Amino acid sequence: MNATLSAALEQEHHIIDRGIEIFADGALTEVTAEQREALINAVAVLRRHIYLEEEYLFPPLRAAGMVGPVMVMVHEHAQMWPLLDQLDECLTPESAGTAVQLCRELLTQLGSHNWKEERILYPQADDMLSAADRDELTELIATAQVPEGWVCHGAVKGDQPVS
């Protein structure tokens, strides 16, 4: 692979942010089908991105001693996950205002979260993971699907963490 793993993951951050922004900007007037589709795609890409990080990227980083930074990222994923669920439910024309508010909250969370990943975790992944692991994860970014029913590790349903 020519591009680094960190570059591929950062590119996903840009795709996710842009899809959310397209919806939020458009919802100030009237939401078009294209804007709704941009948000649906951004939410799906973000869910897959979180899945790939938690299942493929974070375990080797944790094993290499980056337990604290990984725990912070998992915690932040868990804060985002309910917003994604709420956005899935707010894609009707009647709830565009609520969706815009959720988008802005999510973009705020992503701004801080992405900065930490891009400055701390991703460079370490480029250095610590084997070339084969980096290539595999870069390939998964393009091809992976989130398994049915998968939720991020720190997400809670009711009073109990999801296992």
Side-chain angles (χ1 to χ4, degrees), residues 27-159:
L28 296 175
T29 56
E30 185 175 324
V31 178
T32 66
E34 291 81 19
Q35 291 159 326
R36 191 178 280 87
E37 189 61 34
L39 180 59
I40 291 168
N41 183 61
V43 167
V45 172
L46 181 51
R47 286 186 191 277
R48 188 189 72 232
H49 185 86
I50 290 170
Y51 164 72
L52 291 173
E53 286 179 344
E54 292 194 2
E55 297 297 330
Y56 295 95
L57 178 65
F58 293 171
L61 291 177
R62 227 183 335 265
M66 296 195 68
V67 175
V70 168
M71 285 178 57
V72 169
M73 296 300 101
V74 170
H75 175 73
E76 291 180 3
H77 288 168
Q79 292 176 319
M80 290 177 220
W81 202 260
L83 292 176
L84 300 178
D85 290 341
Q86 291 171 35
L87 279 168
D88 285 341
E89 297 169 7
C90 286
L91 291 173
T92 63
E94 304 81 41
S95 55
T98 300
V100 168
Q101 183 179 4
L102 292 169
C103 284
R104 289 188 178 137
E105 186 177 339
L106 183 57
L107 285 169
T108 298
Q109 289 181 8
L110 286 170
S112 170
H113 179 82
N114 291 352
W115 187 90
K116 288 180 261 187
E117 285 185 336
E118 293 170 8
R119 302 298 180 275
I120 299 167
L121 287 184
Y122 295 171
Q124 293 298 317
D126 285 339
D127 291 342
M128 292 180 182
L129 271 62
S130 70
D133 287 344
R134 289 191 312 266
D135 287 348
E136 176 188 19
L137 188 48
T138 302
E139 179 67 25
L140 285 170
I141 290 170
T143 62
Q145 298 294 317
V146 178
E148 183 73 29
W150 188 89
V151 296
C152 71
H153 293 179
V156 293
K157 291 198 178 202
D159 296 334

Side-chain angles (χ1 to χ4, degrees), residues 8-21:
L9 291 165
E10 285 182 38
Q11 180 62 30
E12 277 212 327
H13 284 173
H14 298 300
I15 291 167
I16 292 161
D17 291 347
R18 188 65 193 131
I20 296 167
E21 290 164 354

